[in-house]
Amino acid sequence: MEKLEVKGLHHHFGFTEILRDISFTLDKGEVLSIVGPSGGGKTTLLHLCADLLDVEEGSVTNSFASSSYAFQEDRLLPWKNVIDNIALGLLAKGDKKSVAIEKSQEIALKFGLEEEDFEKFPKDLSGGMKQRVSFARALVVKPSLLFLDEPFSALDIGLKKELQAILIEMISKKEISVLFITHDLMEAIRLSDEILLLKADPGHIVKKFQYDLPQDKRDDKYVYGESAKILQDDEIIDTFELELR
Ligand SMILES: Nc1ncnc2c1ncn2[C@@H]1O[C@H](COP(=O)(O)OP(=O)(O)O)[C@@H](O)[C@H]1O
Ligand SMILES: [Mg+2]
């Protein structure tokens, strides 16, 4: 069975302790979110899980057949056009150029880009379009595990919902497992099977929340209702330093 297993992970940058004793397991078909405030070590944790940063102490064992990563910032190559940016991972995987281009065009259209955008370079794209390209690039390779670092945080509400809907469709068909990092509780409640709450200084997990209703059955009312519940939780209030007065 494919899974990602994190055990007793600690991390420092210089003398600063960033993460303390992080352990969790992400099983196949599951969406696991790590939610916490900015600066809490979420991106660092995701980098360690995705092997983009060396593990100092503890272990990360990833037995998923394939994975891809959507970065918090879009990280497109400025000298490649939309389609060539999307096709990068496919070509790296060994797809023939013509096949890679065809798959990239198909997913670009699905992600709301238009044919007239295909030849454009990143400098000529709006922020939202860049994020569509970035997300398409991560998904076109059909990864069994997707690492997502706040890919929706800079988007307007319409585009956010559109891209989330694509992801929810894949999640519901059990096509993908996701390790999702966000500071947005509502977003986490919409997408996750399980939420781990990461408190800062140093980042450590203080609580878990489980959501059993299938993602494609969760409407706004469900998300608002569950958010209202979770916002009463003392650990949530403390972690986000919320002032509910
Ligand atoms: N490469 C690095 N070198 C030194 N400090 C870093 C580095 N990357 C991140 N940090 C620091 O680690 C802390 C956690 O950062 P990060 O993992 O990006 O948090 P989050 O994604 O939750 O906002 C921050 O204080 C940040 O300044
Ligand atoms: Mg981050």
Side-chain angles (χ1 to χ4, degrees), residues 13-14 18 36-45 72 149-150 181 198:
F13 283 123
I18 305 292
S38 290
K42 301 185 299 299
T43 296
T44 304
L45 176 56
Q72 191 164 6
D149 192 353
E150 313 215 24
I181 296 288
L198 188 83

Side-chain angles (χ1 to χ4, degrees), residues 220-239:
D220 286 347
K221 203 173 147 203
Y222 174 84
V223 174
Y224 297 147
E226 292 299 324
S227 303
K229 267 190 233 165
I230 208 176
L231 282 169
Q232 318 253 342
D233 186 283
D234 288 341
E235 289 287 11
I236 294 271
I237 292 171
D238 203 28
T239 299

Side-chain angles (χ1 to χ4, degrees), residues 39-240:
K42 301 185 299 299
T43 296
T44 304
L45 176 56
L46 203 61
H47 284 171
L48 289 166
C49 291
D51 201 17
L52 296 170
L53 194 61
D54 289 336
V55 172
E56 290 176 344
E57 193 186 331
S59 65
V60 173
T61 315
N62 180 359
S63 62
F64 281 97
S66 62
S67 63
S68 70
Y69 197 109
F71 291 93
Q72 191 164 6
E73 69 283 15
D74 56 63
R75 291 210 191 181
L76 302 178
L77 298 180
W79 61 89
K80 288 194 180 287
N81 70 26
V82 163
I83 293 301
D84 289 339
N85 261 294
I86 296 176
L88 279 175
L90 292 169
L91 293 171
K93 233 175 53 165
D95 272 10
K96 264 175 51 184
K97 176 104 192 201
S98 57
V99 175
I101 297 290
E102 201 176 309
K103 285 185 191 168
S104 300
Q105 289 177 341
E106 201 179 306
I107 200 165
L109 294 173
K110 184 172 174 196
F111 277 45
L113 294 153
E114 290 169 23
E115 242 167 84
E116 62 183 45
D117 302 325
F118 287 0
E119 310 279 314
K120 287 183 185 163
F121 290 87
K123 68 174 174 50
D124 300 318
L125 302 175
S126 67
M129 283 160 83
K130 281 192 245 188
Q131 213 63 29
R132 287 177 202 261
V133 174
S134 170
F135 204 49
R137 180 173 67 183
L139 286 174
V140 73
V141 293
K142 295 199 181 350
S144 43
L145 172 60
L146 178 64
F147 294 106
L148 278 185
D149 192 353
E150 313 215 24
F152 310 120
S153 55
L155 307 182
D156 66 70
I157 186 78
L159 179 54
K160 181 188 276 205
K161 285 215 154 166
E162 206 183 306
L163 295 186
Q164 284 178 348
I166 294 175
L167 193 59
I168 287 170
E169 194 188 325
M170 296 175 77
I171 292 166
S172 302
K173 290 186 190 154
K174 298 280 172 205
E175 289 175 350
I176 200 162
S177 311
V178 186
L179 183 58
F180 183 44
I181 296 288
T182 183
H183 65 266
D184 182 337
L185 272 172
M186 285 216 267
E187 188 168 284
I189 289 170
R190 193 177 291 280
L191 296 170
S192 315
D193 297 302
E194 187 169 40
I195 295 177
L196 305 181
L197 182 62
L198 188 83
K199 203 165 167 176
D201 298 322
H204 62 291
I205 295 168
V206 287
K207 199 154 186 174
K208 295 180 180 188
F209 300 89
Q210 210 102 28
Y211 295 93
D212 293 332
L213 188 71
Q215 281 82 349
D216 57 356
K217 303 275 187 301
R218 298 180 195 177
D219 55 10
D220 286 347
K221 203 173 147 203
Y222 174 84
V223 174
Y224 297 147
E226 292 299 324
S227 303
K229 267 190 233 165
I230 208 176
L231 282 169
Q232 318 253 342
D233 186 283
D234 288 341
E235 289 287 11
I236 294 271
I237 292 171
D238 203 28
T239 299
F240 286 95

